[in-house]
Every structure is written in structure tokens, then in C-alpha cells.
Amino acid sequence: RPMFSEFGPIYDLAIIRDKQTGHHRGCAFLTYTTKAAADKALEALHNKYKLPNAQNPLQVRRRRRTSEGGEGITLRGQGADEL
């Protein structure tokens, strides 16, 4: 989470986990409080940043605006426990 806060205030971070094992599934949803922060994160991270122990860089995509008004991005990649 600290690595993502450099782009702006974070509203929520949800790491998707397997219900039976509790292991991450390689996907997380990150919601910033502003569109500018989400845009900065997307630009800085998509296909450019690797999490520790990951073989490939993060894949970052924009999500729809949340009902609470935050701007979200979806993160996909190995090492989601490092978030």
C-alpha cells in the first residue's frame, strides 16, 4: 500500500484471495480519492513496475467510478501479497 500512496490519497485497496486457501489470485482493486491520482498511478505502473518475486510487470487498467465517488484501477500480476 505505501508504494501506491505516492500517487495520491487511497480510498480502498482490496486484494482478491482464494476463499479456500487464502492465497492471492493475482488481482487487486485500488481506489483513489481523485481521478488525477488514479491517472498518475496508471501511467507510472502499467507494464513498467514489477512487484518483488514477480516475473512480469503489473497490468493496470481503469475501472468505472465507484458509487462513493472514488476513481479505481485494477492491478493484475504476481506478488499481490506485496501490495
Side-chain angles (χ1 to χ4, degrees):
R1 189 174 182 131
M3 67 179 275
F4 298 111
S5 63
E6 71 182 76
F7 304 110
I10 295 172
Y11 177 77
D12 188 40
L13 172 62
I15 299 172
I16 307 306
R17 298 186 177 278
D18 183 283
K19 290 179 182 180
Q20 293 180 347
T21 66
H23 293 134
H24 71 82
R25 297 189 59 184
C27 182
F29 298 100
L30 179 61
T31 305
Y32 286 97
T33 58
T34 66
K35 182 180 184 303
D39 288 343
K40 280 195 265 182
L42 192 137
E43 178 64 31
L45 300 173
H46 178 66
N47 253 347
K48 297 175 185 170
Y49 182 83
K50 278 195 217 178
L51 293 169
N53 301 319
Q55 293 178 348
N56 299 311
L58 285 174
Q59 298 297 300
V60 183
R61 303 280 187 254
R62 176 164 302 288
R63 287 191 298 125
R64 291 185 190 146
R65 189 175 185 89
T66 66
S67 60
E68 293 84 18
E71 290 288 334
I73 57 175
T74 301
L75 306 164
R76 291 192 180 272
Q78 298 170 324
D81 282 340
E82 304 297 328
L83 300 178

